[in-house]
Amino acid sequence: MKIAVIGAGSAGLAALRQCTSGTYNTQVVCYEKTDQVGGTWVYREETGLDRYGLPIHTSMYKNLRTNLPKEVMGYPDYPVSDTPESYLTRTQILNFLNSYCDHFNLRQHIRFLHNVELVEPSTGDRKWEVKVKDLTRNTISVETFDAVMVCNGHYFEPSMPDLKGQMVFKGEQLHSHNYRVPDIFVDKAVVVLGAGPSGMDLALDISRKAKRVYLSHHLKDPIGTVFPDNVVQKPDVKELTENGAVFKDGTNEHVDVIFYCTGYKYSFPFLSEKCGVRVDSNMVTPLWKHLVSIENPTLALVGLPFYVCAFSMFDLQVRFVLQYWSGKRDFPSKADMLREEAEELEKRKKEGLRRKHFHMMGFKQGDYYNDLANTAGITPLPPVLTKLHNESSMQFLDNLVHYRETRYKIIDDYNFIQL
Ligand code: FAD
């Protein structure tokens, strides 16, 4: 079976690792549009377009330290090496990904500076045509594959809210995708829009330079953590004026920058309509188990669930898919897969979640991992990953400024200790 992998970030590397493990009879080619592995963990100073006219992919910022301990950030067969601290720098994670890539000899399968422009099912033979641009030679080629794993990430297409007064506001407006260093905020008053993990972390990062930070969010209650003194919580922005923002509680502030930490949209610009995958209010559908295209099950979209132990989950998802593609298991009928997706959507709606939260796992991520492992009959992920992820997420919410000082150690599949 000949498989195309799109992207050599941490998901694409997991795909390559499993496709070349010898367990499955597969040939694999990975296309990566940049000149290195690591995807979003590759820090680039530039924003906007790269030298080939393609949008810069990474959203990484200079001061980033992981928001999860390294103990949950490794792959099942390749943990992050033993450093004294648990929360690592972006460079340590990028080095880790490079070392994973070299340890399993994955680089030889990657075609760097190759941008996938179009993926289409070819007529009649149940195969896939992948149209690729070689960026250095400026040539286009089309290759045929039996299956495609899409590993293009989901933190590169900014989601921007429509705010009244956006055109009137005379200050700067910036999305976190294009944020690199806090120095641009020296002595400025900034509204940070959104208090998800990146909004909270970025409010903290820029508070070191900014004069004042207004962290605007629509959580029912104020966030119960201690922020630096120059960070003030505010409700949603009602509208922007020439020189500031009016908040929903009627207060208004004079500000220099609106900093959108409003998240990202799933985007697969290279999938033709014939692939049968669409994004509906940021839910990618129709998919079996957040992963397999129900219309064309030899197409898999790896890495969509968020608030997860990402690298381990990628490995699990890839092993899941390969069980089916290699013929060890048969896919359920289309009707059954559609029913399962509809039931999950219904369940989530009852829990008060919106479509855009369809792929959110968080505290229940262990159920998803177990479901994948049980359904495909593959080695599960140890429950301690979910436990420690949940513990770290609580610490993040309770103790934003200092939680990264904590150190953990996993002692067995079920337990961890705090050092
Ligand atoms: P990416 O890393 O985005 O890789 C996708 C790859 O696909 C890229 O190399 C890209 O160039 C390539 N590509 C895209 N389109 C094409 C195309 N058409 N043709 C060829 N190649 C293409 N997770 C954690 O676990 N812990 C953290 O602390 C953490 N912090 C984060 C901080 C930030 C600022 C961001 C943005 C994310 C963070 N994450 C964190 C989540 C992180 O995205 C995942 O951990 C993981 O790196 C995602 O890997 P990926 O391979 O799915 O996507």
Side-chain angles (χ1 to χ4, degrees):
M1 178 172 229
K2 196 174 160 202
I3 298 175
V5 172
I6 302 174
S10 48
L13 292 178
L16 276 181
R17 189 285 173 264
Q18 292 303 336
C19 287
T20 58
S21 67
T23 311
Y24 312 93
N25 189 13
T26 48
Q27 275 177 287
V28 64
V29 178
C30 173
Y31 298 106
E32 168 51 53
K33 69 178 184 175
T34 70
D35 59 359
Q36 52 179 308
V37 303
T40 212
W41 293 96
V42 178
Y43 175 74
R44 286 178 196 255
E45 259 171 32
E46 333 87 274
T47 56
L49 300 181
D50 67 13
R51 56 193 288 221
Y52 303 101
L54 296 174
I56 299 274
H57 179 85
T58 185
S59 303
M60 192 48 59
Y61 43 96
K62 193 168 188 177
N63 293 337
L64 182 127
R65 274 180 72 195
T66 61
N67 56 19
L68 290 173
K70 68 168 191 300
E71 287 74 19
V72 303
M73 282 197 63
Y75 293 95
D77 56 0
Y78 199 77
V80 184
S81 63
D82 223 4
T83 51
E85 67 281 26
S86 277
Y87 293 87
L88 305 187
T89 63
R90 59 175 169 78
T91 312
Q92 287 173 301
I93 297 295
L94 183 61
N95 291 344
F96 165 74
L97 291 173
N98 272 290
S99 107
Y100 176 73
C101 181
D102 291 331
H103 180 81
F104 292 110
N105 272 319
L106 306 179
R107 227 171 274 275
Q108 56 179 318
H109 305 286
I110 305 172
R111 298 203 194 146
F112 290 103
L113 294 169
H114 279 65
N115 183 50
V116 172
E117 300 202 326
L118 189 68
V119 174
E120 244 181 348
S122 59
T123 31
D125 59 3
R126 293 173 160 255
K127 288 187 188 269
W128 295 92
E129 283 181 0
V130 178
K131 185 174 151 195
V132 186
K133 184 169 187 182
D134 177 336
L135 298 172
T136 40
R137 294 203 177 105
N138 203 16
T139 53
I140 303 247
S141 59
V142 178
E143 271 195 66
T144 305
F145 292 90
D146 299 299
V148 178
M149 284 196 202
V150 174
C151 302
N152 69 327
H154 51 86
Y155 295 115
F156 63 91
E157 183 73 47
S159 170
M160 291 284 280
D162 271 337
L163 281 184
K164 193 173 165 201
Q166 256 163 341
M167 304 299 280
V168 176
F169 180 65
K170 287 205 169 134
E172 197 188 336
Q173 300 187 55
L174 175 80
H175 189 276
S176 56
H177 174 58
N178 296 318
Y179 169 72
R180 297 294 183 261
V181 288
D183 308 63
I184 57 169
F185 294 119
V186 168
D187 286 340
K188 293 194 170 162
V190 185
V191 175
V192 170
L193 274 183
S198 72
M200 300 254 294
D201 200 44
L202 286 168
L204 182 65
D205 195 37
I206 70 171
S207 70
R208 297 180 185 114
K209 299 282 175 175
K211 187 169 62 190
R212 207 148 180 78
V213 177
Y214 300 102
L215 178 60
S216 158
H217 61 79
H218 43 245
L219 299 172
K220 263 191 256 140
D221 300 313
I223 300 162
T225 196
V226 179
F227 286 103
D229 287 346
N230 60 344
V231 178
V232 179
Q233 294 190 57
K234 286 278 188 185
D236 272 340
V237 168
K238 188 169 150 220
E239 65 177 294
L240 300 181
T241 59
E242 237 180 70
N243 298 310
V246 181
F247 297 90
K248 286 207 168 138
D249 60 0
T251 57
N252 58 75
E253 302 291 347
H254 192 286
V255 294
D256 305 294
V257 188
I258 309 297
F259 189 15
Y260 294 93
C261 297
T262 40
Y264 295 86
K265 295 189 263 194
Y266 289 104
S267 173
F268 313 96
F270 44 80
L271 290 187
S272 92
E273 247 179 61
K274 289 187 209 155
C275 294
V277 172
R278 57 181 199 282
V279 183
D280 176 1
S281 309
N282 225 26
M283 168 183 171
V284 189
T285 184
L287 293 182
W288 187 47
K289 305 214 182 280
H290 302 264
L291 176 61
V292 175
S293 161
I294 296 177
E295 294 297 336
N296 291 291
T298 47
L299 176 69
L301 282 71
V302 180
L304 303 187
F306 56 98
Y307 301 163
V308 291
C309 299
F311 303 175
S312 283
M313 181 197 73
F314 300 157
D315 181 89
L316 179 69
Q317 287 187 317
V318 171
R319 287 187 285 119
F320 178 90
V321 167
L322 287 174
Q323 283 291 99
Y324 291 86
W325 289 357
S326 66
K328 292 189 173 141
R329 300 256 157 176
D330 291 327
F331 284 113
S333 69
K334 183 174 167 182
D336 282 347
M337 292 195 269
L338 285 170
R339 190 176 315 114
E340 201 179 304
E341 189 195 47
E343 280 169 6
E344 183 165 357
L345 182 61
E346 206 42 47
K347 193 172 135 228
R348 285 177 179 252
K349 273 188 190 158
K350 280 192 186 135
E351 288 166 4
L353 297 171
R354 290 192 282 159
R355 277 182 105 79
K356 69 172 189 176
H357 297 126
F358 185 68
H359 304 296
M360 184 173 84
M361 296 298 160
F363 285 91
K364 291 190 177 167
Q365 61 189 280
D367 296 345
Y368 177 64
Y369 305 152
N370 290 341
D371 182 37
L372 287 185
N374 293 337
T375 308
I378 50 177
T379 309
L381 297 183
V384 68
L385 290 185
T386 304
K387 264 194 193 168
L388 183 46
H389 187 290
N390 291 346
E391 164 67 18
S392 171
S393 305
M394 301 287 287
Q395 291 299 323
F396 172 84
L397 290 173
D398 286 351
N399 187 12
L400 179 70
V401 177
H402 295 292
Y403 78 101
R404 288 186 174 98
E405 291 157 19
T406 311
R407 293 164 54 220
Y408 297 102
K409 185 176 165 71
I410 286 184
I411 49 173
D412 59 35
D413 279 357
Y414 297 90
N415 299 293
F416 64 86
I417 51 169
Q418 200 172 307
L419 297 175

